[in-house]
Amino acid sequence: YCTPNGHVFFLADVQGESYLYDTTMDPSKTRKICGGGAQFSDVVFDKEGKIAVIQASSPTSPGELRLINIEPYAESIIVRPNADFFLTHPTASLEKRVITRGRLEIESRLLKPPGFDSNIKYPLILDIHGGPHGAFYDSFNAMQQILATAGYLVLCVNPRGSSTYGVEFLKAVIGDWGGEDYLDILAAVDDTCTEPYVDTSRLGLHGYSYGGFMSSWIVGQDNRFKAAVVGAPC
């Protein structure tokens, strides 16, 4: 959205999180207005560019509308249709994990069941996104929530090739499906399995499209997983 005084507002995604930015013809004056901890799918403005309404999803909310006052900044949630439901049906909690492979940092999101107890061992399901240039966000994923609220840990890895981590990270998977991307994913699994609350005898995995390819590739390379659901593989 371009304001009468030459400002341009836009949404952008960075490392699986969404933000609202303000920029001008001088890119050095680009500033972050709000965001983080959620995925933004749409935004509208009033005609003066002083107020915005953002459609957002977060790990604890499948959808809500946020009212943003640009200057001075203020934010409030004006619509959260599922708030009453989630008072009695708590969502999974989300923990971010980062490992380093070579020069790259590989980020994962680990969903934990409601009422998580680190003294209990939980089965773990590895979820693999499509693309390969998809990405897991700080957002509400219904399938992952169903699994996590049923008592599973759900590990969601953004290996090289995932979007929102920069162009070079995105391009690193080209010509190497099942190579370093595969090693990124398994390294994240190895790291998570060092936690005492992971039952390493009960591991499963799932993926669709590129995730289906990677799921079928993994079970052909590694025998630690007891079950796999392979969707739309290449």
Side-chain angles (χ1 to χ4, degrees):
Y1 176 81
C2 185
T3 68
N5 62 356
H7 284 257
V8 176
F9 298 114
F10 63 96
L11 298 180
D13 298 333
V14 181
Q15 296 184 345
E17 301 179 78
S18 298
Y19 299 89
L20 175 63
Y21 287 92
D22 169 24
T23 193
T24 67
M25 292 297 290
D26 180 358
S28 67
K29 295 182 179 180
T30 299
R31 67 186 180 101
K32 184 188 300 178
I33 298 174
C34 66
Q39 182 178 18
F40 298 161
S41 54
D42 206 356
V43 59
V44 293
F45 297 86
D46 69 338
K47 64 180 181 180
E48 289 85 14
K50 295 181 179 179
I51 297 174
V53 174
I54 291 176
Q55 181 173 305
S57 170
S58 70
T60 58
S61 175
E64 61 194 32
L65 296 180
R66 300 183 182 183
L67 179 67
I68 310 297
N69 192 82
I70 305 295
E71 196 69 46
Y73 172 75
E75 178 178 341
S76 61
I77 297 175
I78 54 175
V79 177
R80 182 178 276 171
N82 300 282
D84 291 342
F85 177 83
F86 287 122
L87 288 176
T88 54
H89 299 77
T91 61
S93 59
L94 184 147
E95 174 194 337
K96 290 187 182 177
R97 304 175 65 90
V98 178
I99 61 169
T100 300
R101 291 199 64 247
R103 298 179 296 106
L104 298 181
E105 290 190 344
I106 307 301
E107 187 176 62
S108 303
R109 287 158 172 78
L110 179 65
L111 275 71
K112 298 177 178 178
F116 172 79
D117 183 345
S118 61
N119 295 312
I120 297 174
K121 284 190 174 293
Y122 296 87
L124 181 143
I125 296 175
L126 168 66
D127 193 12
I128 307 172
H129 65 62
H133 302 314
F136 290 120
Y137 282 75
D138 288 4
S139 64
F140 190 96
N141 181 301
M143 186 194 72
Q144 294 169 358
Q145 288 286 340
I146 288 171
L147 292 169
T149 55
Y152 295 91
L153 298 165
V154 183
L155 181 64
C156 316
V157 187
N158 283 336
R160 66 191 69 201
S162 302
S163 62
T164 78
Y165 294 87
V167 174
E168 293 307 313
F169 192 92
L170 190 79
K171 291 164 57 179
V173 74
I174 295 174
D176 190 38
W177 286 29
E180 293 296 322
D181 52 351
Y182 156 74
L183 296 175
D184 290 342
I185 292 170
L186 286 197
V189 172
D190 288 339
D191 174 69
T192 306
C193 284
T194 63
E195 301 291 353
Y197 51 78
V198 177
D199 185 347
T200 56
S201 70
R202 293 190 294 164
L203 304 179
L205 77 161
H206 163 264
Y208 194 87
S209 190
Y210 168 80
F213 153 77
M214 184 58 73
S215 296
S216 57
W217 178 257
I218 286 175
V219 296
Q221 309 292 317
D222 192 291
N223 62 8
R224 76 181 76 182
F225 296 95
K226 298 298 187 290
V229 178
V230 177
C234 300

